[in-house]
Amino acid sequence: MVQSFFQRNLQFNRSFKKKLNEQLMKVGLYHSQWSIIYYLKQFDTTTLVEISNYLDVEKPTITRTVNRLEEQQLVVKIPSEDKRERRIQLTGKGLALYEEAKQIVDAFERSLLTGIPDDDQKKTVEVMQLLLEKLK
Amino acid sequence: MVQSFFQRNLQFNRSFKKKLNEQLMKVGLYHSQWSIIYYLKQFDTTTLVEISNYLDVEKPTITRTVNRLEEQQLVVKIPSEDKRERRIQLTGKGLALYEEAKQIVDAFERSLLTGIPDDDQKKTVEVMQLLLEKLK
DNA sequence: GATGTATAGTTACCTAGGTAACTAATTCTA
DNA sequence: TAGAATTAGTTACCTAGGTAACTATACATC
């Protein structure tokens, strides 16, 4: 049975998330938590809406994941001047975990990408980017 | 902020599933239900384990989705000689829905892929396939 | 033939995504 | 400036993925 372009992508994605979760288990994180921690590291303080826009994930999903990070004391929510929003920030513990997780994720991604020519990687990213734009 | 190869793939995948679900809503299906119906159409009768192996999705997930298809009377479970297994089959209603959904999915996928050169598509599939094998 | 192992499927429970509808605060506008 | 519209975030509830542990049947082996 021939698999369509998209079926293949769905399948790759399931496997990738599974293995990435396995790796991140070493530091007690899930991949969605990692995405948020990674974003927070780059931007110091941010809001739920900013995370939602950047990751293109709906707000309720982000709310839930951030709450779990807060329970683990990896982030704190700081009241803002605009009383609607609360600025989210990595704690010391969160920053330390970032460093640990970064090693793991980098090694994992490198191990997957080695042996795949740069041109092929670039072309694939181009195609994904184009498809993403067409979806919107 | 530069997005990694994999972050981009995760994002594309979220958007793709979202839009595919929107399309399939027209016939009251979710994309995971569609994957199973599509597989059943090709193989006439099959088992839960076969579906699980082919889609590379764990058994409990398949169990749940197949049960929902059964509730909608799109599939039936037929007792087998081997009393452990139950062979799963599309009903008439399921087959009719397959035809409807196929039109929708084909049109959706075509609209996304038009304008993307065949070579680029092929290269992308190659890369995904290679990455998938490396994951195992 | 009894016992141990493998297989099909289910149940319970976890995270990750979504939508709809809501509150509270802010901003826009007539 | 009062009222309308927008925005930040939350709550409730849906499907989709996962793991662990279980039952029942089948098969293998001693």
Side-chain angles (χ1 to χ4, degrees), chain A residues 113 116-129, chain B residues 5 8 123-124 127:
Chain A
L113 287 176
I116 296 178
D118 277 4
D119 282 357
D120 291 2
Q121 290 184 35
K122 231 177 109 184
K123 182 57 80 182
T124 303
V125 167
E126 260 176 52
V127 169
M128 283 194 299
Q129 190 58 35
Chain B
F5 181 89
R8 209 180 292 263
K123 182 58 78 184
T124 303
V127 169

Side-chain angles (χ1 to χ4, degrees), chain B:
Chain B
M1 181 158 128
V2 177
Q3 262 196 324
S4 81
F5 181 89
F6 296 104
Q7 286 289 345
R8 209 180 292 263
N9 193 305
L10 291 171
Q11 188 162 325
F12 167 68
N13 217 260
R14 277 193 299 269
S15 294
F16 176 72
K17 284 196 283 192
K18 207 164 154 180
K19 295 287 178 184
L20 182 54
N21 274 337
E22 275 174 28
Q23 291 300 310
L24 283 169
M25 265 308 122
K26 294 176 191 167
V27 292
L29 286 178
Y30 288 93
H31 76 272
S32 62
Q33 299 176 333
W34 166 246
S35 293
I36 290 178
I37 286 180
Y38 185 79
Y39 182 77
L40 285 172
K41 173 62 166 60
Q42 319 305 311
F43 286 90
D44 213 43
T45 93
T46 181
T47 68
L48 203 139
V49 167
E50 282 168 17
I51 299 174
S52 170
N53 287 336
Y54 179 74
L55 295 180
D56 196 21
V57 168
E58 299 299 324
K59 290 185 297 175
T61 305
I62 304 292
T63 296
R64 191 211 292 135
T65 305
V66 166
N67 283 345
R68 287 200 190 116
L69 291 174
E70 197 182 17
E71 283 164 20
Q72 295 177 256
Q73 290 151 25
L74 299 172
V75 307
V76 284
K77 292 180 187 159
I78 299 166
S80 167
E81 205 162 318
D82 181 336
K83 283 178 191 165
R84 287 172 305 180
E85 68 176 29
R86 283 136 52 139
R87 304 206 64 82
I88 299 160
Q89 198 171 359
L90 276 183
T91 62
K93 188 176 168 191
L95 192 60
L97 199 65
Y98 166 87
E99 300 295 347
E100 265 190 89
K102 181 119 178 33
Q103 304 301 317
I104 291 172
V105 174
D106 283 355
F108 175 60
E109 296 194 350
R110 255 199 318 276
S111 79
L112 271 179
L113 288 176
T114 49
I116 295 179
D118 277 3
D119 283 357
D120 290 2
Q121 290 184 35
K122 230 177 110 183
K123 182 58 78 184
T124 303
V125 167
E126 261 176 52
V127 169
M128 283 193 299
Q129 190 59 35
L130 203 62
L131 289 172
L132 192 56
E133 277 157 26
K134 281 184 133 184
L135 279 172
K136 309 249 155 151

Side-chain angles (χ1 to χ4, degrees), chain A residues 62-119:
Chain A
I62 304 293
T63 296
R64 192 213 291 135
T65 305
V66 166
N67 283 345
R68 288 201 190 115
L69 291 174
E70 196 182 17
E71 283 164 20
Q72 295 177 257
Q73 290 151 26
L74 299 173
V75 307
V76 283
K77 292 181 188 158
I78 299 166
S80 168
E81 203 162 319
D82 181 335
K83 283 177 191 166
R84 287 172 306 180
E85 70 176 28
R86 285 136 51 142
R87 303 205 65 83
I88 300 161
Q89 198 171 0
L90 276 182
T91 62
K93 189 178 168 188
L95 192 60
L97 199 67
Y98 166 88
E99 300 295 347
E100 267 191 88
K102 180 120 180 34
Q103 303 300 317
I104 291 172
V105 174
D106 282 354
F108 175 60
E109 295 194 349
R110 256 199 317 275
S111 78
L112 271 179
L113 287 176
T114 49
I116 296 178
D118 277 4
D119 282 357

Side-chain angles (χ1 to χ4, degrees), chain A residues 5-21:
Chain A
F5 181 90
F6 296 103
Q7 287 290 345
R8 207 180 292 264
N9 191 286
L10 291 171
Q11 187 162 325
F12 166 69
N13 218 259
R14 277 193 299 268
S15 294
F16 176 73
K17 284 196 283 191
K18 207 164 153 180
K19 296 286 179 186
L20 182 54
N21 274 337

